Amino acid sequence: MDLSLFFFSASTDDAYDLLLDSARFADTHGFAAVWTPERHFHRFGGPYPNSAVTGAAVAAVTRRVGVRAGSVVLPLHDPLRVAEEWAVVDRISHGRAGLAFASGWHAVDFVLAPDRYPDRKSELPALIDEVRSLWRGGRVARRDGTGARVDVEVFPKPVRADLPIWLTSAGDLATFELAGRLGVGVLTHLLTQSLDELRMKIARYRHLHAGRGQVTLMLHTLVGPEALSTAREPMSRYLRSSLDLVAAMLPGSPFHDATISDDEADFLVGRVLDRFLVERGLFGPVATCASTLRRLADAGVDEVACLVDFGLEPASTRSGLAHLARLVAPGPAPVPG
């Protein structure tokens, strides 16, 4: 099982120091990659509005670990810009860049590109194809400032000939199937699906993929002898800070179009916290987490992206990394096509 680090902080206080310190640790302790997201206009994930910026910072302080976006909301952007920015990251990292792409789901994000919101899912495959083509040295047609049609290509040229790509899924089977047909990896989580449900979706993905593919599972993580008790209060605050976003993703949620009251938020967090810590994350002593990783591997997961910045004290996060490193498998991580 490959392990990587994933960041999605709800606090800017020490987000970047923790990111870079953890990236250096990952680089020297055999982790596969460091993932940073794209989030807009919300405290939850707010320190990460541009994964290329944070990816460049990670690339500059590391030498071996993969530098990945988890995820670029591609319909918000011109593929030209995405390919340009990440070609720079690939050059800085000497060929370690990789991108997960998402269609986007939060309507407020699309103040950046409101016309693209209705068709964001149907247009995603063509946008991915355009990024791939540009990465390989292709040209695309655009209109310049005078209205003339021009063909343009991306500079600088990336180091890696083919860009490793994942498709992000919150649990929709159709997204797993699309990733299989496109021949890319899957980046997913257990917030809105059980492990048994994930196992079924992975099997479908593998059936459609021309090769084996790669499934990366994001899990909130703290490893250590007191992990469960240490994580309880920070995890409760973290879930509380994201509830208005996450609740709308849940099947049958009553909060799609409603404001969540404080009492409703406390009730929901209290109801899911224990189950989340035990079943939907990577929490506990090394031996317990090793057992969890074996179950995930049996379900078809290739890599666990460990989300470590969920509001712990920095000392607790760093201590957890030391325990987590005991679970890292040696050898290079595979990357999807």
Side-chain angles (χ1 to χ4, degrees):
M1 174 69 68
D2 291 304
L3 297 182
S4 54
L5 298 184
F6 199 105
F7 293 84
F8 213 111
S9 177
S11 170
T12 57
D13 291 344
D14 61 354
Y16 307 120
D17 288 341
L18 180 62
L19 168 65
L20 297 181
D21 287 349
S22 300
R24 294 184 187 98
F25 182 91
D27 198 50
T28 57
H29 287 81
F31 287 79
V34 174
W35 299 79
T36 57
E38 176 186 347
R39 280 292 300 124
H40 299 287
F41 317 127
H42 197 283
R43 183 183 302 275
F44 181 66
Y48 297 100
N50 187 328
S51 57
V53 173
T54 48
V58 169
V61 300
T62 57
R63 294 292 177 268
R64 185 203 60 82
V65 73
V67 182
R68 299 179 186 164
S71 311
V72 173
V73 184
L74 191 51
L76 290 179
H77 309 287
D78 189 319
L80 272 169
R81 192 63 173 156
V82 173
E84 277 187 333
E85 291 178 349
W86 278 93
V88 173
V89 176
D90 202 55
R91 300 294 299 191
I92 294 171
S93 67
H94 302 285
R96 292 181 280 132
L99 279 76
F101 291 122
S103 61
W105 56 275
H106 194 224
V108 176
D109 291 357
F110 281 79
V111 300
L112 297 173
D115 294 342
R116 294 189 177 182
Y117 184 73
D119 299 319
R120 65 195 185 282
K121 292 185 178 181
S122 61
E123 291 180 356
L124 184 60
L127 294 172
I128 292 174
D129 285 345
E130 196 163 275
V131 173
R132 275 176 148 171
S133 174
L134 289 164
W135 192 270
R136 294 167 177 162
R139 292 172 171 263
V140 295
R142 293 290 190 272
R143 296 285 180 183
D144 69 12
T146 69
R149 184 184 183 279
V150 293
D151 291 333
V152 292
E153 60 184 304
V154 164
F155 294 97
K157 299 301 182 186
V159 173
R160 178 172 271 172
D162 285 303
L163 176 66
I165 294 174
W166 289 253
L167 197 59
T168 301
S169 173
D172 186 3
L173 176 60
T175 308
F176 281 76
E177 293 174 336
L178 176 60
R181 291 193 296 269
L182 293 177
V184 301
V186 173
L187 172 64
T188 190
H189 54 66
L190 292 178
L191 294 174
T192 54
Q193 59 188 333
S194 69
L195 183 56
D196 285 341
E197 291 169 333
L198 176 61
R199 184 193 306 271
M200 177 273 293
K201 294 167 190 175
I202 291 174
R204 180 62 177 160
Y205 164 71
R206 303 253 192 245
H207 176 73
L208 293 170
H209 199 289
R212 171 174 163 67
Q214 184 179 1
V215 176
T216 299
L217 179 67
M218 185 278 290
L219 291 179
H220 295 77
T221 299
L222 181 64
V223 180
E226 306 296 330
L228 284 172
S229 59
T230 301
R232 178 172 295 277
E233 181 57 30
M235 198 70 226
S236 178
R237 293 195 305 268
Y238 187 79
L239 291 172
R240 181 71 166 75
S241 72
S242 66
L243 199 56
D244 60 329
L245 296 177
V246 175
M249 299 167 59
L250 301 175
S253 170
F255 302 113
H256 286 281
D257 301 305
T259 300
I260 303 173
S261 71
D262 288 343
D263 287 344
E264 289 170 330
D266 291 340
F267 172 76
L268 284 174
V269 170
R271 193 173 73 173
V272 306
L273 181 59
D274 286 336
R275 182 179 174 188
F276 190 92
L277 290 172
V278 174
E279 299 178 11
R280 303 292 176 100
L282 190 64
F283 295 98
V286 170
T288 299
C289 292
S291 177
T292 298
L293 293 177
R294 286 193 292 271
R295 289 198 301 273
L296 295 173
D298 288 343
V301 174
D302 301 296
E303 173 190 355
V304 170
C306 301
L307 195 156
V308 297
D309 64 335
F310 55 87
L312 292 163
E313 291 295 324
S316 295
T317 303
R318 291 176 173 89
S319 174
L321 288 176
H323 292 290
L324 179 62
R326 295 169 58 189
L327 296 167
V328 172
V335 293

